[in-house]
Amino acid sequence: MRTSAKAARQGSPEPLTQYTHRVLTRIRAFDRRHPLAWDLPLTGAIVIAAVVDYTSGGWKYIAENDTLPGWLVLALSLGFSVPLLWRRTHPVPVLLAMIPVAIVNSATGALLQASHLLLIALFNAALRVRMRTLLWLYGLLLTPFVVAAARYPAEQGPDQTLIPATMSLALAAMFGIVVRARKDHLASLVERARQLEVERDQQARLATAAERARIAREMHDIIGHNLSVITGLADGGRYAAVKSPERAAQALNSIATTSRQALTELRRLLDVLAADDHTQPALTPQPTLTDLDPLLEKVREAGLPTSLAIKGTPTITPGRQLTIYRVIQEALTNTLKHAGPHATSHIEMSYDEGGAVTVTVTDTGRGGTPNGTAGRGLPGMRERTALYGGTLDAGPLPTRGWRVHLELPEESHQ
């Protein structure tokens, strides 16, 4: 799989957008882990540019007052550039520190080009602070430009300074808001994807648990019933061996046949468990009500006389037929296990025209389970019944024996 993917990448060039996105993702991840690795060089470059503007005297070409002392110009240059080192971690304090510098810059007539660094600080504030905080920061940032317009009305009036500054600051703030909204949107998509992965894993675990429960029911029904039949045949064959060797031989033949059937069904179920995407296990239809007669015949051979009475005509789906079959199978298996010798069993099945089904399995045995123990039989029957909205009751009869009563409602056609 990896080799083919690598070959595919080598066969067709990676799109520029995907390559750019991958590179930017790595850069952002590195920046989050080592913020100073980016902030220090950038701030250092800005500081050097501001100092060069001071030492070269370039600031005098746009200043309203070019006779300012050098220390003041240098202090203003550093006051605009150095605080940018903390623009991402403390955007509001950085702006509050730069605003007095900007006011002095406007009042003295220096009008340094480093004052444009206010736009970078405002952009970073827009990325991180609330809208209300951003608004009053924006208002404070207009103060230096109002001072410049008032101090030098002819050269720095509203048309030349205040209006362009207002628009520039607004654009910087809006750009920060747009970038912030995009980052929040991407973060929400990433979180949603993470939640979907968690839900997918939970659904997979639930599906696995449900499949395990289904397989456990099938194995219980297959192995439990056949072993009970084999036990009954073995007991009967042991007694028949003394008086009637022919019947003992018949019992052994039935034991062999039942064992082979159980092994075949068990192997088929294990093949389903072991199957992968490249193998298809051999499948056979699940039992239906037409398979009741062979089931009852096996139970009778195991030594449990069983009768069947049916009222109505069964017109139900295969899934509901499988549920009825498994419930009857489990009820007869329990009778074979726990009813004791000389017990008999009787099954009554009733169908109505709407598809509702009632099944009652009774026996004349001891009733209950040895020592009050309980296995997966009854819970498995109730789980199967609940899948179709039915109910199942099981318990001892008032006099002697055990009763299992199943009711399935009418099928809904949607």
Side-chain angles (χ1 to χ4, degrees):
M1 185 67 69
R2 294 180 179 176
T3 304
S4 61
K6 183 178 180 181
R9 288 197 299 269
Q10 293 176 350
S12 59
E14 184 178 12
L16 180 60
T17 54
Q18 294 183 7
Y19 176 77
T20 304
H21 175 72
R22 182 160 53 87
V23 171
L24 290 177
T25 300
R26 292 180 179 178
I27 293 175
R28 293 191 190 100
F30 179 81
D31 182 56
R32 285 193 297 269
R33 295 192 302 268
H34 311 284
L36 289 180
W38 168 254
D39 290 343
L40 276 175
L42 178 61
T43 305
I46 293 173
V47 171
I48 292 173
V51 173
V52 168
D53 183 56
Y54 155 70
T55 57
S56 65
W59 62 277
K60 296 180 180 180
Y61 293 100
I62 61 172
E64 294 293 341
N65 182 7
D66 58 1
T67 62
L68 295 174
W71 65 266
L72 178 59
V73 177
L74 179 60
L76 293 176
S77 299
L78 296 177
F80 280 123
S81 56
V82 172
L84 291 181
L85 181 62
W86 300 278
R87 69 190 185 282
R88 293 199 291 179
T89 55
H90 302 86
V92 176
V94 167
L95 276 175
L96 294 179
M98 294 175 69
I99 288 173
V101 178
I103 293 175
V104 174
N105 177 63
S106 299
T108 59
L111 304 180
L112 299 177
Q113 293 185 13
S115 63
H116 292 95
L117 298 175
L118 289 170
L119 298 176
I120 298 178
L122 180 60
F123 168 77
N124 282 271
L127 287 177
R128 295 167 177 84
V129 302
R130 296 181 300 176
M131 184 60 66
R132 180 179 300 178
T133 305
L134 183 63
L135 288 175
W136 65 258
L137 285 173
Y138 177 80
L140 289 176
L141 285 172
L142 291 177
T143 305
F145 300 98
V146 174
V147 172
R151 183 74 172 80
Y152 305 99
E155 297 82 2
Q156 305 293 331
D159 294 339
Q160 290 79 17
T161 302
L162 188 57
I163 294 178
T166 302
M167 296 179 63
S168 299
L169 292 172
L171 287 174
M174 290 178 61
F175 185 54
I177 293 172
V178 170
V179 173
R180 178 180 182 175
R182 182 178 178 276
K183 290 175 63 178
D184 292 344
H185 179 64
L186 290 176
S188 66
L189 291 179
V190 171
E191 177 62 21
R192 177 58 179 163
R194 188 192 66 80
Q195 292 178 356
L196 289 175
E197 289 181 357
V198 172
E199 292 175 2
R200 179 200 62 192
D201 294 341
Q202 290 177 345
Q203 292 296 329
R205 286 194 292 269
L206 291 175
T208 301
E211 184 65 11
R212 287 176 177 173
R214 185 190 68 81
I215 293 172
R217 288 196 303 266
E218 292 295 329
M219 294 186 70
H220 176 274
D221 293 339
I222 293 171
I223 298 175
H225 173 74
N226 285 286
L227 287 180
S228 297
V229 170
I230 290 171
T231 301
L233 290 171
D235 290 340
R238 183 179 58 187
Y239 292 113
V242 178
K243 299 181 180 179
S244 177
E246 296 81 5
R247 295 195 60 185
Q250 293 176 358
L252 291 175
N253 289 332
S254 299
I255 289 174
T257 301
T258 303
S259 300
R260 292 190 188 97
Q261 292 176 352
L263 285 174
T264 301
E265 294 183 14
L266 185 58
R267 287 193 184 112
R268 187 176 295 114
L269 188 59
L270 294 176
D271 287 342
V272 172
L273 292 177
D276 54 24
D277 296 337
H278 306 287
T279 60
Q280 179 65 37
L283 302 178
T284 57
Q286 291 278 26
T288 61
L289 294 180
T290 58
D291 299 302
L292 271 181
D293 289 338
L295 173 67
L296 299 183
E297 187 63 29
K298 289 171 59 178
V299 171
R300 294 185 185 110
E301 289 180 2
L304 177 64
T306 305
S307 58
L308 173 65
I310 301 177
K311 297 180 182 179
T313 303
T315 56
I316 55 178
T317 59
R320 291 158 67 92
Q321 292 188 43
L322 175 62
T323 297
I324 296 172
Y325 179 92
R326 292 301 191 196
V327 168
I328 293 175
Q329 183 186 51
E330 178 62 25
L332 295 176
T333 300
N334 288 338
T335 300
L336 285 170
K337 289 181 180 178
H338 310 305
H342 310 299
T344 61
S345 180
H346 178 66
I347 305 170
E348 291 185 1
M349 304 175 63
S350 176
Y351 306 93
D352 65 12
E353 295 180 357
V357 185
T358 301
V359 179
T360 303
V361 184
T362 56
D363 63 56
T364 59
R366 290 190 295 259
T369 57
N371 302 322
T373 59
R376 289 194 51 85
L378 289 178
M381 287 193 287
R382 290 193 173 96
E383 289 172 3
R384 291 183 181 277
T385 305
L387 290 176
Y388 296 95
T391 59
L392 185 138
D393 296 322
L397 294 172
T399 55
R400 179 181 176 85
W402 190 267
R403 173 180 177 269
V404 175
H405 183 71
L406 165 70
E407 291 185 1
L408 294 180
E410 295 182 1
E411 296 186 76
S412 60
H413 302 282
Q414 298 180 350

